[in-house]
């Protein structure tokens, strides 16, 4: 793989290391949120999508070496350092020392966990669909710490703070992105 990684090439790489439906769905959801965030910032949607898609590349096969293995794999494949840094930054303070600096890195850090919360909120509706998802209901679930307790609310808030955006706005953008790609996102 050379300098210019295409979206289908990125997906092929992801699928090579990720067989499970849930993690593939997560990749698509983060990708969709990233696309919407790129549009918000007037940046390269395709690049942000790929960064979102690849962030958990090694998680299924190497959960204990998450990020370390992904870095190795991506370097071996000659993947653009832009994506390697974004991947490392998504786990800043938890598994890596790479602090999100760019808008893309800060967005990925934020929407990774947030997309998980939105997905969990959707599963509560009878339709289980993103179509019925509202900002209000996601914000309510955000405040209810017992709901999907594993999702780190402080991590999300830290991301919003880095972005200089209120949580409400990021939630709105992410719901929009997931709605736009609802089939890809598994809804
Ligand atoms: Fe991760
Ligand atoms: Fe993730």
């Amino acid at each position: 793989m050379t300098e210019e990684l295409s979206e289908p090439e990125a997906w092929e790489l992801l699928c090579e290391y990720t067989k499970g439906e849930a993690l593939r769905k997560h990749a698509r959801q983060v990708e969709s949120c990233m696309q919407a965030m790129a549009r918000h910032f007037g940046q390269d949607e395709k690049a942000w999508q790929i960064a979102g898609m690849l962030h958990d590349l090694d998680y299924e096969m190497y959960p204990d070496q998450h990020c370390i293995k992904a870095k190795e794999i991506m370097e071996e494949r000659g993947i653009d350092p832009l994506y390697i840094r974004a991947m490392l930054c998504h786990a800043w303070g938890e598994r890596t020392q790479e602090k999100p600096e760019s808008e893309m890195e800060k967005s990925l850090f934020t929407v990774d966990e947030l997309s998980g919360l939105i997905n969990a909120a959707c599963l509560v509706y009878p339709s289980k669909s993103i179509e019925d998802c509202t900002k209000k209901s996601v914000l309510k679930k955000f405040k209810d710490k017992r709901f999907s307790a594993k999702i780190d609310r402080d991590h999300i808030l830290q991301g919003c703070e880095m972005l200089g955006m209120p949580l409400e706005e990021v939630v709105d953008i992410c719901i929009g992105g997931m709605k736009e790609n609802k089939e890809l996102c598994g809804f």
Side-chain angles (χ1 to χ4, degrees):
M1 238 165 261
T2 50
E3 325 78 58
E4 280 291 311
L5 179 67
S6 71
E7 193 269 345
E9 281 172 330
W11 184 248
E12 202 180 303
L13 177 63
L14 193 266
C15 290
E16 194 182 322
Y17 287 90
T18 309
K19 306 297 175 195
E21 272 314 304
L23 203 51
R24 284 188 183 185
K25 189 170 126 175
H26 172 62
R28 285 303 200 187
Q29 292 181 352
V30 173
E31 172 193 343
S32 299
C33 293
M34 286 298 282
Q35 181 179 18
M37 289 295 281
R39 197 174 304 152
H40 170 81
F41 285 110
Q43 301 245 4
D44 182 348
E45 290 181 30
K46 236 194 64 196
W48 287 44
Q49 279 176 261
I50 290 173
M53 200 190 289
L54 294 180
H55 80 284
D56 278 336
L57 178 66
D58 59 357
Y59 194 75
E60 183 178 291
M61 288 178 74
Y62 308 98
D64 298 333
Q65 294 165 278
H66 181 36
C67 298
I68 300 163
K69 268 285 170 188
K71 183 173 185 270
E72 271 177 38
I73 297 164
M74 289 163 98
E75 281 175 351
E76 260 169 40
R77 303 291 179 110
I79 302 292
D80 192 324
L82 178 82
Y83 302 129
I84 301 178
R85 229 198 92 81
M87 178 280 296
L88 291 169
C89 286
H90 95 271
W92 171 60
E94 287 153 17
R95 289 173 178 270
T96 75
Q97 304 298 316
E98 275 78 5
K99 188 179 179 191
E101 302 287 355
S102 69
E103 285 168 337
M104 184 177 89
E105 291 160 0
K106 291 172 184 172
S107 295
L108 182 57
F109 180 90
T110 311
V111 308
D112 177 22
E113 290 283 298
L114 182 55
S115 65
L117 182 72
I118 295 171
N119 181 64
C122 292
L123 298 181
V124 171
Y125 308 127
S127 67
K128 301 199 187 321
S129 173
I130 187 78
E131 283 303 334
D132 294 323
C133 186
T134 63
K135 179 168 70 176
K136 198 175 156 210
S137 72
V138 171
L139 292 173
K140 208 171 142 200
K141 297 277 186 270
F142 187 94
K143 288 196 193 98
D144 177 3
K145 299 282 155 68
R146 287 164 308 170
F147 178 83
S148 286
K150 278 187 302 181
I151 293 172
D152 186 349
R153 271 71 167 173
D154 290 337
H155 179 115
I156 298 171
L157 289 175
Q158 194 181 10
C160 292
E161 200 175 306
M162 286 193 286
L163 285 165
M165 291 167 77
L167 172 67
E168 291 77 8
E169 192 182 4
V170 185
V171 168
D172 212 25
I173 292 170
C174 289
I175 293 174
M178 282 161 76
K179 276 187 181 164
E180 212 173 301
N181 296 319
K182 64 173 185 171
E183 261 127 59
L184 267 191
C185 288
F187 294 110

